[in-house]
């Protein structure tokens, strides 16, 4: 029988690579996203809407045992604390953190009943280190690391594991949007900014979404059965500096 995976934000970037890899590895994948996708079973969902997330996941759980949850939907926002308006903070927090809260809460009854489950939170290297001009994003990603740890402790007795994945700079539409915004504000040249970004990485290149997907597949599998409450860094050496 196929294992069942629920992912949020699986229509683009890292999430899309995860959906493709899990489908290839014989998972049935439900993708909860705002933007439609032909990969996996798409369910239109805004993760900021807790009752919507709950209803969709309850519906899936009526017919399937949910083995894996990947809370991946997220947005980037660049600003210092002074330049972060209350509505900006709310927006980042609602998508990046409240979305994870909603999805985890909704899958737990199915995982508890099955005495098995793997929960992955897509955090960031910014759960471990700060980056300039990134107040709300840093805050949200640190919160996800905390959620991984508390969930791991509270549900270990049910054989449910929870881990945070902490990617460095990965070449996705989110990355391109972030440097486009920066270039627009600063007048810098995009190719130069991209090259500089590569040079900042010890491995001298950015990560690819497929590389993050491979780590997530491993962490979701029984091969990772003793790994819980951890922050798994995949950053080309960036945070080792
Ligand atoms: P992306 O923009 O390519 O994809 C994000 C996906 O989330 C999109 O499909 C989008 O439609 C979906 N989404 C956004 N808001 C949503 C909402 N309210 N409800 C449902 N779906 C929503 O981004 P990505 O780079 O693939 O990032 C995926 C995750 O990885 C994010 O949490 C991001 O913070 C994290 N991350 C990315 C990088 C990077 O460098 N790209 C690094 C570290 C962590």
């Amino acid at each position: 029988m196929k294992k069942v995976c629920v992912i949020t934000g699986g229509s683009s970037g890292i999430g899309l690579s995860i959906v493709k890899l899990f489908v290839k590895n014989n998972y049935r994948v439900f993708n909860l996203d705002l933007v439609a996708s032909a990969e996996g079973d798409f369910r239109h969902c805004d993760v900021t809407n807790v009752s919507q997330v709950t209803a969709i996941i309850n519906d899936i759980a009526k017919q399937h045992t949910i083995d894996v949850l990947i809370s991946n939907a997220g947005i980037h926002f660049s600003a210092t604390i002074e330049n972060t308006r209350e509505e900006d903070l709310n927006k980042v927090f609602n998508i990046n953190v409240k979305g994870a809260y909603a999805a985890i809460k909704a899958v737990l009854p199915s995982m508890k009943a099955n005495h098995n489950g793997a929960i992955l939170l897509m955090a960031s290297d910014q759960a471990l280190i700060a980056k300039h001009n990134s107040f709300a994003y840093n805050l949200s990603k640190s919160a996800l690391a905390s959620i991984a740890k508390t969930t791991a402790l509270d549900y270990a007795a049910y054989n449910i594991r929870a881990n945070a994945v902490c990617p460095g700079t990965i070449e996705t539409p989110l990355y391109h949007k972030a440097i486009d915004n920066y270039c627009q504000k600063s007048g810098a040249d995009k190719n130069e900014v991209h090259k500089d970004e590569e040079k900042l990485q010890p491995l001298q290149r950015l990560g690819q979404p497929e590389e993050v997907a491979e780590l997530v597949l491993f962490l979701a599998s029984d091969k990772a059965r003793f790994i819980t409450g951890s922050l798994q860094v995949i950053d080309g050496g960036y945070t080792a500096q």
Side-chain angles (χ1 to χ4, degrees), residues 166-201:
C166 301
T169 307
I170 311 296
E171 210 173 341
T172 67
L174 178 141
Y175 161 78
H176 283 290
K177 220 181 288 170
I179 64 167
D180 282 344
N181 285 345
Y182 172 75
C183 291
Q184 225 168 27
K185 278 185 197 155
S186 65
D189 176 69
K190 186 171 174 183
N191 281 338
E192 292 302 316
V193 174
H194 182 67
K195 271 190 220 145
D196 289 347
E197 201 58 53
E198 288 183 322
K199 279 191 217 135
L200 286 175
Q201 318 300 323

Short mmCIF file of all heavy atoms in Angstrom, two decimals, residues 166-201:
data_model
loop_
_atom_site.label_atom_id
_atom_site.label_comp_id
_atom_site.label_asym_id
_atom_site.label_seq_id
_atom_site.Cartn_x
_atom_site.Cartn_y
_atom_site.Cartn_z
N CYS A 166 16.64 22.85 7.51
CA CYS A 166 17.16 24.21 7.49
C CYS A 166 18.02 24.46 6.26
O CYS A 166 19.26 24.38 6.32
CB CYS A 166 17.98 24.46 8.76
SG CYS A 166 17.02 24.22 10.28
N PRO A 167 17.38 24.76 5.13
CA PRO A 167 18.16 24.99 3.92
C PRO A 167 18.84 26.36 3.95
O PRO A 167 18.32 27.32 4.53
CB PRO A 167 17.11 24.96 2.80
CG PRO A 167 15.84 24.47 3.42
CD PRO A 167 15.93 24.82 4.87
N GLY A 168 19.99 26.41 3.29
CA GLY A 168 20.63 27.70 3.05
C GLY A 168 19.96 28.33 1.83
O GLY A 168 18.75 28.21 1.65
N THR A 169 20.75 28.97 0.98
CA THR A 169 20.15 29.64 -0.18
C THR A 169 19.94 28.63 -1.31
O THR A 169 20.89 28.06 -1.83
CB THR A 169 21.03 30.81 -0.64
OG1 THR A 169 21.27 31.63 0.51
CG2 THR A 169 20.33 31.64 -1.70
N ILE A 170 18.67 28.44 -1.65
CA ILE A 170 18.28 27.44 -2.65
C ILE A 170 17.67 28.18 -3.84
O ILE A 170 16.83 29.08 -3.65
CB ILE A 170 17.24 26.44 -2.06
CG1 ILE A 170 17.71 25.88 -0.70
CG2 ILE A 170 16.94 25.32 -3.06
CD1 ILE A 170 18.96 25.05 -0.69
N GLU A 171 18.08 27.76 -5.04
CA GLU A 171 17.63 28.49 -6.23
C GLU A 171 16.19 28.10 -6.60
O GLU A 171 15.95 27.11 -7.26
CB GLU A 171 18.58 28.16 -7.38
CG GLU A 171 18.68 29.30 -8.34
CD GLU A 171 19.73 29.08 -9.41
OE1 GLU A 171 20.63 28.23 -9.24
OE2 GLU A 171 19.63 29.78 -10.43
N THR A 172 15.26 28.93 -6.16
CA THR A 172 13.82 28.70 -6.41
C THR A 172 13.18 30.03 -6.81
O THR A 172 13.82 31.09 -6.69
CB THR A 172 13.11 28.22 -5.12
OG1 THR A 172 13.11 29.31 -4.19
CG2 THR A 172 13.76 27.02 -4.50
N PRO A 173 11.90 30.01 -7.23
CA PRO A 173 11.22 31.28 -7.52
C PRO A 173 11.27 32.25 -6.32
O PRO A 173 11.38 33.47 -6.52
CB PRO A 173 9.78 30.84 -7.80
CG PRO A 173 9.93 29.46 -8.37
CD PRO A 173 11.07 28.84 -7.61
N LEU A 174 11.22 31.73 -5.09
CA LEU A 174 11.28 32.60 -3.90
C LEU A 174 12.63 33.34 -3.85
O LEU A 174 12.69 34.54 -3.59
CB LEU A 174 11.07 31.77 -2.63
CG LEU A 174 11.15 32.46 -1.27
CD1 LEU A 174 10.08 31.88 -0.32
CD2 LEU A 174 12.51 32.30 -0.62
N TYR A 175 13.70 32.60 -4.14
CA TYR A 175 15.04 33.21 -4.17
C TYR A 175 15.09 34.30 -5.25
O TYR A 175 15.57 35.41 -5.01
CB TYR A 175 16.11 32.13 -4.43
CG TYR A 175 17.42 32.69 -4.92
CD1 TYR A 175 18.32 33.29 -4.03
CD2 TYR A 175 17.76 32.66 -6.27
CE1 TYR A 175 19.52 33.85 -4.48
CE2 TYR A 175 18.95 33.20 -6.72
CZ TYR A 175 19.83 33.79 -5.83
OH TYR A 175 21.00 34.34 -6.28
N HIS A 176 14.59 33.98 -6.44
CA HIS A 176 14.66 34.97 -7.54
C HIS A 176 13.84 36.22 -7.21
O HIS A 176 14.26 37.34 -7.49
CB HIS A 176 14.23 34.33 -8.87
CG HIS A 176 15.31 33.46 -9.44
ND1 HIS A 176 16.47 33.98 -9.97
CD2 HIS A 176 15.44 32.12 -9.50
CE1 HIS A 176 17.27 32.99 -10.36
NE2 HIS A 176 16.66 31.85 -10.08
N LYS A 177 12.67 36.00 -6.57
CA LYS A 177 11.83 37.13 -6.18
C LYS A 177 12.58 38.01 -5.17
O LYS A 177 12.56 39.23 -5.25
CB LYS A 177 10.52 36.62 -5.56
CG LYS A 177 9.29 37.42 -6.00
CD LYS A 177 8.01 36.91 -5.35
CE LYS A 177 7.54 35.59 -5.89
NZ LYS A 177 6.43 35.00 -5.10
N ALA A 178 13.25 37.34 -4.23
CA ALA A 178 13.97 38.09 -3.18
C ALA A 178 15.10 38.93 -3.81
O ALA A 178 15.26 40.10 -3.45
CB ALA A 178 14.53 37.12 -2.13
N ILE A 179 15.87 38.36 -4.74
CA ILE A 179 16.95 39.20 -5.31
C ILE A 179 16.41 40.23 -6.30
O ILE A 179 16.95 41.31 -6.41
CB ILE A 179 18.19 38.42 -5.86
CG1 ILE A 179 17.86 37.53 -7.03
CG2 ILE A 179 18.93 37.67 -4.80
CD1 ILE A 179 19.18 37.06 -7.71
N ASP A 180 15.30 39.92 -6.97
CA ASP A 180 14.66 40.94 -7.83
C ASP A 180 14.26 42.15 -6.99
O ASP A 180 14.51 43.30 -7.39
CB ASP A 180 13.41 40.37 -8.52
CG ASP A 180 13.76 39.47 -9.70
OD1 ASP A 180 14.91 39.53 -10.17
OD2 ASP A 180 12.88 38.69 -10.13
N ASN A 181 13.63 41.88 -5.84
CA ASN A 181 13.21 42.98 -4.94
C ASN A 181 14.41 43.80 -4.51
O ASN A 181 14.38 45.03 -4.50
CB ASN A 181 12.53 42.44 -3.68
CG ASN A 181 11.13 41.94 -3.98
OD1 ASN A 181 10.57 42.26 -5.03
ND2 ASN A 181 10.57 41.16 -3.07
N TYR A 182 15.50 43.08 -4.15
CA TYR A 182 16.70 43.76 -3.69
C TYR A 182 17.27 44.64 -4.81
O TYR A 182 17.63 45.81 -4.58
CB TYR A 182 17.74 42.73 -3.22
CG TYR A 182 19.08 43.34 -2.92
CD1 TYR A 182 19.28 44.08 -1.75
CD2 TYR A 182 20.14 43.21 -3.82
CE1 TYR A 182 20.51 44.67 -1.48
CE2 TYR A 182 21.37 43.80 -3.56
CZ TYR A 182 21.55 44.53 -2.40
OH TYR A 182 22.76 45.10 -2.15
N CYS A 183 17.32 44.11 -6.03
CA CYS A 183 17.90 44.86 -7.16
C CYS A 183 17.04 46.08 -7.49
O CYS A 183 17.57 47.14 -7.84
CB CYS A 183 18.04 43.97 -8.39
SG CYS A 183 19.30 42.72 -8.16
N GLN A 184 15.73 45.89 -7.39
CA GLN A 184 14.81 46.99 -7.67
C GLN A 184 15.07 48.15 -6.69
O GLN A 184 15.13 49.30 -7.10
CB GLN A 184 13.38 46.51 -7.51
CG GLN A 184 12.46 46.95 -8.63
CD GLN A 184 11.15 46.19 -8.55
OE1 GLN A 184 10.74 45.74 -7.47
NE2 GLN A 184 10.50 46.04 -9.67
N LYS A 185 15.24 47.79 -5.41
CA LYS A 185 15.43 48.82 -4.38
C LYS A 185 16.81 49.47 -4.47
O LYS A 185 16.96 50.67 -4.30
CB LYS A 185 15.26 48.22 -2.98
CG LYS A 185 13.80 48.10 -2.56
CD LYS A 185 13.68 47.61 -1.12
CE LYS A 185 12.28 47.11 -0.84
NZ LYS A 185 12.22 46.15 0.24
N SER A 186 17.83 48.63 -4.75
CA SER A 186 19.21 49.13 -4.67
C SER A 186 19.77 49.56 -6.01
O SER A 186 20.81 50.23 -6.07
CB SER A 186 20.11 48.05 -4.07
OG SER A 186 20.16 46.95 -4.97
N GLY A 187 19.13 49.13 -7.11
CA GLY A 187 19.66 49.43 -8.44
C GLY A 187 20.82 48.51 -8.82
O GLY A 187 21.45 48.71 -9.87
N ALA A 188 21.08 47.49 -8.01
CA ALA A 188 22.18 46.56 -8.31
C ALA A 188 21.83 45.68 -9.51
O ALA A 188 20.66 45.51 -9.85
CB ALA A 188 22.47 45.70 -7.08
N ASP A 189 22.88 45.11 -10.13
CA ASP A 189 22.69 44.25 -11.29
C ASP A 189 22.40 42.82 -10.84
O ASP A 189 23.14 42.26 -10.02
CB ASP A 189 23.97 44.29 -12.14
CG ASP A 189 23.88 43.36 -13.32
OD1 ASP A 189 23.09 43.64 -14.23
OD2 ASP A 189 24.59 42.32 -13.31
N LYS A 190 21.35 42.21 -11.38
CA LYS A 190 20.91 40.89 -10.88
C LYS A 190 21.99 39.81 -11.05
O LYS A 190 22.22 39.00 -10.15
CB LYS A 190 19.60 40.47 -11.55
CG LYS A 190 19.07 39.19 -10.94
CD LYS A 190 17.68 38.81 -11.37
CE LYS A 190 17.36 37.43 -10.78
NZ LYS A 190 16.09 36.91 -11.18
N ASN A 191 22.66 39.82 -12.24
CA ASN A 191 23.70 38.80 -12.47
C ASN A 191 24.83 38.91 -11.46
O ASN A 191 25.34 37.91 -10.97
CB ASN A 191 24.29 38.94 -13.88
CG ASN A 191 23.37 38.34 -14.91
OD1 ASN A 191 22.54 37.49 -14.57
ND2 ASN A 191 23.51 38.79 -16.14
N GLU A 192 25.19 40.17 -11.16
CA GLU A 192 26.28 40.40 -10.18
C GLU A 192 25.85 39.92 -8.79
O GLU A 192 26.61 39.27 -8.08
CB GLU A 192 26.64 41.89 -10.11
CG GLU A 192 27.32 42.43 -11.36
CD GLU A 192 28.60 41.66 -11.71
OE1 GLU A 192 29.39 41.40 -10.78
OE2 GLU A 192 28.77 41.31 -12.90
N VAL A 193 24.62 40.26 -8.42
CA VAL A 193 24.11 39.87 -7.09
C VAL A 193 24.09 38.34 -7.00
O VAL A 193 24.49 37.75 -5.98
CB VAL A 193 22.70 40.45 -6.84
CG1 VAL A 193 22.10 39.93 -5.55
CG2 VAL A 193 22.75 41.98 -6.83
N HIS A 194 23.66 37.70 -8.07
CA HIS A 194 23.58 36.23 -8.10
C HIS A 194 25.00 35.63 -7.94
O HIS A 194 25.20 34.71 -7.14
CB HIS A 194 22.94 35.77 -9.40
CG HIS A 194 22.77 34.29 -9.51
ND1 HIS A 194 21.90 33.58 -8.71
CD2 HIS A 194 23.40 33.38 -10.29
CE1 HIS A 194 21.99 32.29 -9.01
NE2 HIS A 194 22.89 32.14 -9.96
N LYS A 195 25.96 36.20 -8.67
CA LYS A 195 27.35 35.69 -8.59
C LYS A 195 27.90 35.89 -7.17
O LYS A 195 28.56 35.01 -6.62
CB LYS A 195 28.25 36.43 -9.59
CG LYS A 195 28.28 35.76 -10.95
CD LYS A 195 29.36 36.38 -11.82
CE LYS A 195 28.88 36.52 -13.24
NZ LYS A 195 29.37 37.68 -13.95
N ASP A 196 27.61 37.06 -6.60
CA ASP A 196 28.08 37.34 -5.23
C ASP A 196 27.47 36.35 -4.25
O ASP A 196 28.13 35.88 -3.32
CB ASP A 196 27.67 38.77 -4.80
CG ASP A 196 28.47 39.82 -5.55
OD1 ASP A 196 29.48 39.46 -6.19
OD2 ASP A 196 28.07 41.01 -5.51
N GLU A 197 26.20 36.05 -4.47
CA GLU A 197 25.50 35.11 -3.59
C GLU A 197 26.18 33.74 -3.65
O GLU A 197 26.39 33.09 -2.62
CB GLU A 197 24.04 35.04 -4.05
CG GLU A 197 23.03 34.55 -3.05
CD GLU A 197 22.96 35.35 -1.76
OE1 GLU A 197 22.81 36.60 -1.82
OE2 GLU A 197 23.07 34.72 -0.71
N GLU A 198 26.56 33.33 -4.86
CA GLU A 198 27.25 32.03 -5.01
C GLU A 198 28.58 32.03 -4.27
O GLU A 198 28.94 31.06 -3.62
CB GLU A 198 27.47 31.73 -6.50
CG GLU A 198 26.19 31.37 -7.22
CD GLU A 198 26.41 31.00 -8.69
OE1 GLU A 198 27.25 31.64 -9.35
OE2 GLU A 198 25.72 30.09 -9.17
N LYS A 199 29.30 33.16 -4.38
CA LYS A 199 30.63 33.24 -3.75
C LYS A 199 30.55 33.20 -2.23
O LYS A 199 31.52 32.86 -1.56
CB LYS A 199 31.34 34.53 -4.20
CG LYS A 199 31.99 34.40 -5.57
CD LYS A 199 32.87 35.59 -5.83
CE LYS A 199 32.80 36.01 -7.30
NZ LYS A 199 32.65 37.44 -7.51
N LEU A 200 29.40 33.59 -1.69
CA LEU A 200 29.23 33.58 -0.23
C LEU A 200 29.15 32.16 0.34
O LEU A 200 29.31 31.95 1.53
CB LEU A 200 27.93 34.31 0.17
CG LEU A 200 27.92 35.83 0.06
CD1 LEU A 200 26.51 36.34 0.36
CD2 LEU A 200 28.92 36.44 1.04
N GLN A 201 28.87 31.20 -0.55
CA GLN A 201 28.69 29.83 -0.09
C GLN A 201 30.03 29.11 -0.12
O GLN A 201 30.72 29.15 -1.15
CB GLN A 201 27.69 29.07 -1.00
CG GLN A 201 26.46 29.87 -1.42
CD GLN A 201 25.61 30.34 -0.26
OE1 GLN A 201 25.45 29.62 0.72
NE2 GLN A 201 25.07 31.54 -0.36
#
